[in-house]
Amino acid sequence: MEVQVVDAFTDRAFAGNPAGVVLLTAPADEAWMQAVAAEMKHAETAFVELRDDDEPLGLRWFTPVREVDLCGHATLAAAHVLGGDRRFRTRSGVLTCAARDGWVEMDFPADPAEPAEVTAELRAGLPGVTVEAVGRAVSDVLVQVASAAQVRALEPDLAALAAVPGRGVIVTAPGDRPGLDVVSRCFYPSYGVQEDPVTGSAHCTLASWWAPRLGKPELFAEQCSPRGGQVRATLVGDRVRLAGRAVTVLRGRLIV
């Protein structure tokens, strides 16, 4: 089986979020896919079940420790590997991807966050920031802080964040330079991912949160992890269009 490693949400190698992409010619055992994802050690590895007809391709995502319901950067990586316009059948429904001028645009369900209280785990997990608002989405807890500088300088207590219910924690603020609308960082220690370099699915919550607050549906966002990456996010009703670029850095074959 062919396997590739793709840096997603970036236009240069060794930046953005690396994802494994495994191309399957037949259904694979779930335990085997989890073992491969653990071996790859990327935040997510995508498994694409190829087909000979026009039906959506099967797509599943695994972190090193568990399967997830939605992953933006590994979907982008899979679409980049396959090229052109693609449809995928996933645990979050059918997702469509379209190639546009060197970018891949993905149509994802929005995941809006409802106002929530600041918990003791969040306070312990996010030292040195001024919390302005908290929202709870289906997947993640969003924490809006006072400035982009606080987001960039944050040194979280990951053990405390692991105790926050849900998939993980998004820390965000308005952008701090012209043309940059939003900054964020994302932490998923309970899913085996300490800090995710660039999280496409988190922008389904970020777009829903910031579009009405900033008064604009189209956002240019930076996830300011050490690797860094950029996402275009457009809120359209109950959907979010996510766009990013990608670079293939490795091609090989699985022999087991």
Side-chain angles (χ1 to χ4, degrees):
M1 283 161 285
E2 182 178 350
V3 59
Q4 298 191 25
V5 174
V6 175
D7 290 340
F9 292 116
T10 183
D11 61 354
R12 59 188 177 89
F14 314 125
N17 201 350
V21 179
V22 179
L23 302 179
L24 304 172
T25 57
D29 177 73
E30 184 173 307
W32 177 85
M33 289 189 285
Q34 185 62 76
V36 171
E39 185 82 2
M40 296 287 287
K41 294 184 174 63
H42 296 302
E44 272 89 14
T45 297
F47 295 84
V48 183
E49 186 179 336
L50 303 176
R51 301 176 61 100
D52 294 328
D53 55 27
D54 293 329
E55 292 299 308
L57 306 178
L59 175 61
R60 296 172 72 173
W61 310 278
F62 288 79
T63 79
V65 298
R66 67 178 70 183
E67 186 172 9
V68 296
D69 292 331
L70 186 64
C71 178
H73 85 278
T75 302
L76 170 58
H80 171 76
V81 166
L82 295 170
D85 296 351
R86 295 287 175 172
R87 293 186 302 150
F88 298 106
R89 184 185 68 258
T90 77
R91 286 168 59 160
S92 293
V94 174
L95 305 179
T96 61
C97 298
R100 298 285 186 271
D101 299 322
W103 293 67
V104 174
E105 184 179 273
M106 304 173 288
D107 180 23
F108 274 30
D111 188 7
E114 297 296 328
E117 297 297 320
V118 184
T119 64
E121 292 85 0
L122 284 174
R123 291 193 184 279
L126 302 174
V129 303
T130 303
V131 176
E132 295 195 335
V134 175
R136 180 172 295 279
V138 172
S139 297
D140 299 323
V141 174
L142 179 147
V143 180
Q144 179 182 333
V145 302
S147 68
Q150 290 188 358
V151 176
R152 297 182 191 279
L154 175 63
E155 297 183 6
D157 182 332
L158 293 168
L161 293 185
V164 176
R167 183 180 66 165
V169 176
I170 305 167
V171 183
T172 184
D176 53 359
R177 65 175 186 268
L180 177 62
D181 299 303
V182 177
V183 299
S184 69
R185 290 171 66 188
C186 297
F187 306 96
Y188 302 103
S190 65
Y191 273 63
V193 180
Q194 303 304 298
E195 179 171 4
D196 199 30
V198 193
T199 315
S201 59
H203 287 78
C204 295
T205 297
L206 287 162
S208 301
W209 183 266
W210 283 115
R213 286 166 172 79
L214 297 178
K216 54 189 304 187
E218 298 181 14
L219 304 172
F220 187 78
E222 176 187 349
Q223 195 157 327
C224 46
S225 65
R227 289 177 64 100
Q230 299 80 39
V231 183
R232 292 177 180 168
T234 305
L235 182 65
V236 184
D238 62 354
R239 309 290 295 182
V240 176
R241 294 177 187 157
L242 302 175
R245 293 168 289 187
V247 179
T248 300
V249 297
L250 181 149
R251 293 188 180 93
R253 300 192 68 80
L254 284 168
I255 60 174
V256 294

